[in-house]
Each structure stands twice: as C-alpha cells, then as structure tokens.
Amino acid sequence: MRKRLSTLMAVLLIAAVAFSGCSKKKDSKPDTQPTNTETEDTNAPEETESGEEAETGKSVFDEPVTLSYLAWNLGTAEEDNLERKMLAKFQEVYPNVTINIVEVPLNEDGSAGDYGNYLNTLAAQKALPDVYMWTSVPDTASAGWAADVSAYAEEDAEYQNVVAAVRDGGRINNKVYGIPFQMHLFGIMQNYNIYEELNVDPLPYSYTLDDLLERIAATTTDKYRGIDNFAIEDWGALVDSDTIGFGTFDGEKYNFSSEEFAKAIDTYKEVVEKGYTGNGSYTEPWLPEGVNWAWGEGYIANQYEASWSIAGFQNGERPFKSDLIPLPNEKVILVPDFIFVAANTENTEAAYELAKWMSFGVDGMKARMEIKDENGIVGYSGLPLNAGYDAEIDDYFLKDYEDFPMFLQVYASLKEKPENVYVEGFKVIPGYTKSRFDADTGVVGTVNGEEKSLTMSELIIAIIKGDKQLSDYAAEMDKVANKIYNDAKANLPK
C-alpha cells in the first residue's frame, strides 16, 4: 500500500529486522513469529507533554504503577541487551513504575520458545502484556488485541513529528492502534568493486528504470550477475505512477491489470530470459563451489536491499564497497515496525508512555544514545522515526554513515521529497499476505514437477518465467486480491 507522506510531514527518516522487511505473515489471526529482532528509535515521557496533565500538573506516574512488557528483541536476562537496559532506565526516570518483562517460555529441550504461539496463548486468556510487539496493525486491531490510543497520540507533539507515512500505517479508520516502533528503508545497493573491475560507471543517485536495466546488462558476465533480489513485481508499478503504491495497491484496490504492472513484469521477464539474474527462483545454480550468498559474498552487481544491510559494510563483513541509492525516479520504500498497548490493560496512558519511550519519544532516543555510549554499543537496527526535529539525535545518527553519502541523501529526501516515499504492504494493508502470496487463483500450473492450483505468488512467478501470460489472468488476479482485501477490511474495528 502506498502511504504518501503528507504535507504536514517535516521529518527525516528507516525498518525492517521486521520482518526485516518483508517476510510473509498470516493475515487472519496473528500466529507467526516475526524475524526482525531489534529496534532502535525510542523516547521517554516528557514532563510537559507526555507524562503530565497540563491542567492539573499531575503526572500519570505520580502513583505506583506496574506494567508488563513483551517483545521479540529482548534477548535473555543474562545478555541484558540494549532493550532491557532501556526498560531499566525508564524505571530509574520514573521510580513509581515497575516493569515486569514477560519471558517467552523455553521449549522442553531448552531451545527458545515460539513468540507467536505464546502471544496467541496470552491473547486467548485475555492476558496480553500491557505493551507488546507484533507484526501487523490490521490483524492486531481486527483480533481485538490492541487498545485505541488516539486520545494520547493525537495530542502528542512528538507523535506528530513521526514520519507521516509510518503514522498512517498505525491507524485504522482514523484511530491509532499501532504505535510506530522503528523503520527501515529499501533502495538499490551496488557492488562498486564489480563496477570498477568491469570499467562500468555505477548508477548515480537519480536515474531511470532504463538506466538500471542498462547497468544490469553491463555487469552480467560468466562470473557475475547484474541483479539477484529484484522484487520489481512489487515496486515497479509505483516507479511510473502517481497513484499506484507497493504491491500495485493504491489505497483502495490492487492493480495487477494496470499498464504499470505489465511493464514491471515485462522488465523482469527480460532480465530472466537474458540470464541477467542470479535469483534461484528463475535460474539454474551458477555460483562457484563454496559460495552460498551471491550478493553478500560479492557476485551480484545490483541488489534491492534494505538499510539494515549497511551494518554488514560498517563492520567489515562484506568483501566489497557499496552504498544505497533510491529506486528509479528517486522512489523510496519504508518498512515500519509497530508496538501496541493491550486492549486488556488497566493502565492505557501509562502503557502508551512506556511504548513511546521504547520507540519514537525524544527522551527515550536520547537515553538510548547515552546507554549505547556507556556500554560501547555500536550500530543501529532502524532509522530515527522523528529525525529532523532534534539536531543532537540527527548528529548522533548520521555520524556513523559518513562512508555512505548516497544513503545520507536518501535519508534527507524523506523530508525533502515526501511525495516519493511509499510504505511496504505487509504490516499495514488488511489481508496483504493472503492477497499477494497465499490466495488460491484457481489457475493450474506446475510447481516442483507437480500440477496444482497456483497461489497468487506462484502465478506471478510463472508469468515472470514465461510459463503463463499476464494478459490471460490480470483481471482475475485483481478480482481475487481485491475480494480478500475487502473481506479483511470489513473485519476492521469501526
């Protein structure tokens, strides 16, 4: 779904490991464990706007309060990671607050328990923690798990400074259920070592889809491939449209029958037919023996990648130089994560303040910076949700990215060109995973040597490979996807 940043937005950007971005999730009742395991952007209740009632001068934390907290990024008590230190710091700032960390029970063999299953169990018992992390705003709201925190968020100046597209992703029917927790961004990364070896000029910051295709062709050799993770079937349509967003969703419907989607599919078909891609879904194995990750080990020239991958270059894990540029026509994809206040909480306002501290609040972000410095913790898992409103936070964040000037330009563009920013659909579009991936299309095809009724994802792959023709199925794809979306939308809280 495309979530345009509104003209009210005046912030710099991140997300997502969200699923770091774009892992598949079920769209009925939440029941799977997310894979993004760290967060970064956080805040404490402000004494004048968040934790205090201006008319009475009384803080929500003047009386003792106990809050429970569950998140997939807490590690173990022995590790005492940054997130646990943040919770401890909150209790130092507000001595009347006691935070009980809810631990996911271990399996019988001592291995880590399943976060998703445990959260479902707590929900069934109407015993959700006061504050918890989960993967999908529509699913969580539809299941009745999340409290409406509009009364606090909409009056919170710091919440209003969060990137508008991310704020919008947390709203259902103009009510705030998902509290922005962290964000990442997607663009194109280039392997500059390959470009230099082949004497090809890398892509500049601003370029077209034709420019990208020319570079993909020029950097494909017997040894290298021009692209691996392309994903143009999800972002290609928005590059050439002012209305279509991620996954062809325009805010009201899917557009698989659009000219823009047809162009994206034709582009991918060309890349596959000419052998430019190393994606295992479309090609035979080609990597040298012993190489397991084509991009990470230096055999791919261009890659659709997320900002979290920059950490691998910062710490020296990648054997080549790179930077992150936007998609063609300077388009950028945001990947947000959200945190929720439980519908069953007895302390909604206090729980909101804790969620704010752990996510977008300025006091929390500055506390996080102090904890990092005190403990020698380096790196980020996300981008500042409301960067641009505090020079100290900006300076602290940006200093670690001096070697990535293109990425810094993308970062700045999130404030300067909000019309070019879109939100990935997994966590914010009702029924997205089912409509885009799991829906039964009724089209018979062959998968792994067996005939079956193809899912939406399998049909799109078959079309890209040339086994099926988009023109034969596009209208039916719209019909199937839009019915699932509308059914899911009907289940949202009013």
Side-chain angles (χ1 to χ4, degrees), residues 210-251:
D210 287 341
D211 293 331
L212 175 58
L213 289 175
E214 186 274 329
R215 297 308 199 284
I216 289 173
T219 53
T220 298
T221 67
D222 290 341
K223 181 179 180 181
Y224 303 122
R225 293 295 180 270
I227 191 79
D228 186 34
N229 182 30
F230 201 10
I232 193 173
E233 68 273 30
D234 287 323
W235 58 260
L238 66 83
V239 165
D240 292 317
S241 173
D242 289 329
T243 57
I244 296 175
F246 189 86
T248 80
F249 191 74
D250 65 10

Side-chain angles (χ1 to χ4, degrees), residues 45 50-51 53 60-61 65-68 90 128-132 145-153 156 176-177 179 339-357:
S50 53
E53 299 174 10
V60 69
F61 298 121
V65 61
T66 298
L67 298 170
S68 52
F90 188 81
L128 283 167
D130 297 291
V131 180
Y132 62 94
W145 292 6
D148 172 10
V149 295
S150 304
Y152 311 110
D156 185 345
V176 180
Y177 291 94
I179 299 169
I339 193 168
F340 300 89
V341 171
N344 55 254
T345 185
E346 296 179 356
N347 301 291
T348 304
E349 184 178 4
Y352 170 80
E353 293 299 337
L354 174 58
K356 175 180 174 179
W357 170 272

Side-chain angles (χ1 to χ4, degrees), residues 331-370:
K331 300 298 180 72
V332 179
I333 307 296
L334 284 182
V335 183
D337 284 320
F338 296 92
I339 193 168
F340 300 89
V341 171
N344 55 254
T345 185
E346 296 179 356
N347 301 291
T348 304
E349 184 178 4
Y352 170 80
E353 293 299 337
L354 174 58
K356 175 180 174 179
W357 170 272
M358 297 298 292
S359 56
F360 65 83
V362 171
D363 288 348
M365 284 193 283
K366 291 184 177 180
R368 185 177 292 269
M369 289 156 49
E370 293 176 3

Side-chain angles (χ1 to χ4, degrees), residues 190-194 294-300 313 318-322:
Q190 302 175 95
N191 182 325
Y192 290 142
N193 290 34
I194 292 178
W295 163 250
E297 297 181 54
Y299 289 85
I300 300 295
F313 295 92
R318 302 283 82 79
F320 55 93
K321 294 181 180 180
S322 186

